[in-house]
Structure formats: C-alpha cells, structure tokens
Amino acid sequence: MMRITRRRGTIALFITLGAVMVGVALTLQGAWVVLNWRRVWPMAVGIPFFALLIAGLILNTIFLVREVRRNERHDSFLNAVTHELMTPITSIRLYLETLQRRSISEEQRREFYSIMLSDSDRLLATVEQVLKAGEVGQQAKNSARADVDMEALTAECLETTRQRYHLAPDALTLAVERSRLKMVVRGDAAELQTAILNVLDNAIKYSPNGVKICVKLSLEDDTWVFVRVSDTGLGIPSAHLKRIFKRFYRVPSRSHLQMKGTGLGLFLVRSIARQHGGDASASSAGEGKGTTLSLQLPRLLSAQRERAAEVSPTEQKA
Ligand code: ADP
C-alpha cells in the first residue's frame, strides 16, 4: 500500500513537472512572438522550435508516467507470483512434516495426499502460465495447426471446468446458436483450449457469491466464430475493460486483488486469439454487474480452399 502511494506521488510529480515546463515554454513562446512580431525569420524559426519543444515535453511526461505504471505492474506481478508459489509450497511442506513426524490414520493420510496433489496442481498451473506467457509470439510459427470443431472443443472445456470445480450442471451452461455451417477454426486445439479454460477459470474466480455462467457459441456473418462467456460476478469498471488484456495487469480494486492470480491469464487469451487471426474483448455493465468475455475467431471458410492454400509453389508447378 505504501509503495502504491509512493508511486502515485511520483506520477503526480512527473505530471506537475511536465505541466510547469510546458507552461514555461508557452510563456517563452508568447514573449518571443511579442518581441519579434514584425520579423519574418525569427518567427518562422522560433514558432516551430517552441512547438517542437512543447511536444517533446509532453511526450517525455507521457513516457515517464507509462514507465512508472509498467514498473508498478511488474512489482505486483512479482508479488503475486511469489505468493502463488509460496502458498502451495508451504502447504505441501506442512503436510509432509506431519506425515513424517506423526503416526496418522490411513484415511487422514489419503486426505493429505489429495491436498498435496491439488497444491502441486496449483503450482504447476502457475509455472505453466508464466512459461506460456514467455513463449507467446515464438509459438505462432511452430504450433500444430488442424481443423478444430469449436462446438466440440467448447463443450469439452465446459466439462473439464465442471469437474475441476465440482459445479452443478446448471451453474455452467452452453448455448449453441444453430447454423447451417460448421463452426470450424484452423488452429492449435491445445492453445484454443487453454484460452477458453482461462476465461472460464476467471468467470468462476471472480464470482465469489455463486457461480452462474452462460457460454454462447455463435457464427456471425458466416465468417466469425464467437465464444462468449458471461458471468454474474464482480464485473469490471469500464475504465479497465481494455487494460485487463495487458501483461501483468490486474484491476486495482480490493475485491479483485484478494483473488489469487498473476495478471497473465487474459494476456494469454488475447495473444492466442490474435495468433489465430481473431481477437478477445470484454464488456461489463460495471462493478458487481457481471462480465462477458468474448473470443472472436475466423471460421475456416472451406476445407478445400485451405488445402489449396497450403500447396507449396513447387508442388503447384509439378
Ligand atoms: P488474474 O491472474 O489477475 O486473474 P487475468 O489476466 O486473468 O489475471 O485477468 C486480469 C484482470 O481482469 C483480473 O485481475 C481481474 O481484475 C479482471 N477480470 C478478468 N476476468 C474477470 C471476470 N470474469 N470478472 C471480473 N473481473 C475479471
């Protein structure tokens, strides 16, 4: 908290300094214009020079404020990751020590093993997310592309999530808008699954007062496959709707920050969507009013066309 206040102070200082310098430059420009009113050359050189100086000052201030914000995000990411790694490690260690020191019943032993397993799953998930966020961009070229049936893939993700969080069937529902065309996307099935699972995980995590999630799958303009995940949870203030896709960004509200997380999930989601020629976006009516996360992916227009596009020039000549 102290650090955040200090950062806000630094940002305010940079903005004030920038504003004062721009004010001084404007006054100097005014004085210059008054002194050289009738002289062509000093005016022709002076005015662009001052304009450049003012633009430079403004850009410099914007750049400095951005850097301070970026540092802030890095710091909170490090804190979050450390916390995400430390909590399960401490828990596993505690259970191992208990197993080593005390004689416990078979039933308790089994319970300890299952807690340690879920802790190690949590550890693995954090490490995988950090690794994936680092790999994003390099993967685009070597990822395994195939025709992915989005309806089957989404249904599979829902089933995985239901099992993982022990959800009742009506807490997480799928609505598929019927269409004469199949919703097939050319891409990496594992990556697309990661994206949908991340969005579903968030919808559950940010619904602390009960999970009610509706996933809608639809086709628009015969070209775009949309996966929309709507929850009735904490919602997102409109000022943050675009920023949540930035690396390390977490909404700076108390209720959100209490939830575990690294700020990498949605960055990964958008990167994966973009690697597939699509995009991701969020909408929310405001805090406490739920969120809809949308994934937009290009539908594979025709299998034959795709195959023809893949024939190399040498093959075509032959
Ligand atoms: P995190 O690890 O913090 O969940 P994400 O990149 O997945 O990171 O999400 C970024 C931020 O967006 C979150 O910190 C949270 O504040 C907000 N957010 C994401 N999904 C939702 C949602 N379904 N409801 C409310 N807030 C959300």
Side-chain angles (χ1 to χ4, degrees):
M1 201 65 192
M2 270 266 290
R3 210 179 278 174
I4 292 174
T5 326
R6 213 180 309 145
R7 287 259 157 72
R8 298 249 157 86
T10 317
I11 290 176
L13 180 76
F14 280 135
I15 292 176
T16 318
L17 203 68
V20 170
M21 305 261 277
V22 169
V24 171
L26 277 171
T27 318
L28 283 175
Q29 188 178 20
W32 181 269
V33 170
V34 172
L35 287 175
N36 299 289
W37 181 235
R38 283 172 199 279
R39 286 188 262 169
V40 177
W41 273 110
M43 288 290 274
V45 177
I47 288 179
F49 174 77
F50 277 113
L52 213 67
L53 197 71
I54 291 166
L57 283 171
I58 293 171
L59 281 179
N60 193 44
T61 311
I62 293 173
F63 179 74
L64 284 172
V65 170
R66 273 194 175 181
E67 274 309 296
V68 175
R69 289 224 169 109
R70 195 187 308 221
N71 272 343
E72 194 176 0
R73 287 210 302 270
H74 281 201
D75 273 5
S76 59
F77 165 72
L78 275 181
N79 285 341
V81 167
T82 314
H83 175 76
E84 280 304 294
L85 297 178
M86 277 310 282
T87 314
I89 290 175
T90 316
S91 155
I92 292 174
R93 212 187 143 79
L94 206 76
Y95 283 111
L96 281 176
E97 275 173 1
T98 316
L99 282 168
Q100 199 181 33
R101 283 201 199 132
R102 284 202 221 147
S103 65
I104 51 172
S105 69
E106 190 55 32
E107 196 186 332
Q108 260 184 324
R109 185 182 294 270
R110 248 185 266 129
E111 191 193 331
F112 282 11
Y113 285 149
S114 98
I115 297 173
M116 285 195 287
L117 256 177
S118 72
D119 277 335
S120 61
D121 280 349
R122 186 173 160 188
L123 260 179
L124 210 67
T126 308
V127 173
E128 263 176 11
Q129 205 176 42
V130 175
L131 284 178
K132 274 203 173 141
E135 279 168 8
V136 156
Q138 299 164 16
Q139 258 174 3
K141 285 175 203 141
N142 15 358
S143 63
R145 301 243 149 188
D147 295 358
V148 183
D149 179 349
M150 286 307 288
E151 190 176 334
L153 187 95
T154 312
E156 215 177 284
C157 291
L158 259 75
E159 202 39 52
T160 308
T161 308
R162 265 191 214 113
Q163 281 173 16
R164 192 182 286 170
Y165 294 95
H166 311 289
L167 296 177
D170 64 338
L172 177 56
T173 53
L174 175 63
V176 184
E177 210 173 80
R178 287 288 148 216
S179 152
R180 63 198 159 81
L181 299 162
K182 275 210 118 198
M183 296 186 220
V184 176
V185 166
R186 181 87 185 154
D188 184 329
E191 291 288 296
L192 291 169
Q193 195 170 27
T194 303
I196 297 175
L197 285 176
N198 259 310
V199 175
L200 289 172
D201 280 348
N202 273 352
I204 292 168
K205 185 162 68 169
Y206 296 105
S207 296
N209 303 321
V211 176
K212 187 90 191 115
I213 301 166
C214 178
V215 182
K216 274 198 191 126
L217 199 63
S218 60
L219 192 63
E220 282 177 26
D221 301 330
D222 288 354
T223 329
W224 295 102
V225 177
F226 274 86
V227 184
R228 293 193 172 90
V229 178
S230 306
D231 63 60
T232 52
L234 291 176
I236 304 173
S238 60
H240 301 278
L241 284 173
K242 284 209 175 126
R243 294 193 213 154
I244 53 172
F245 294 98
K246 283 188 180 164
R247 206 194 299 234
F248 311 140
Y249 193 83
R250 307 197 72 207
V251 175
S253 110
R254 275 222 186 121
S255 44
H256 281 67
L257 286 182
Q258 272 165 4
M259 319 283 168
K260 68 183 179 74
T262 54
L264 287 175
L266 290 183
F267 166 73
L268 265 178
V269 170
R270 177 172 272 183
S271 306
I272 291 170
R274 287 189 172 167
Q275 274 171 15
H276 285 80
D279 211 344
S281 60
S283 64
S284 169
E287 250 180 307
K289 294 184 180 152
T291 304
T292 298
L293 242 299
S294 307
L295 268 181
Q296 175 182 0
L297 297 161
R299 188 182 75 88
L300 179 61
L301 290 179
S302 116
Q304 287 95 328
R305 199 181 295 175
E306 180 72 26
R307 252 174 251 127
E310 275 178 3
V311 176
S312 68
T314 42
E315 275 176 287
Q316 275 173 352
K317 265 183 219 158

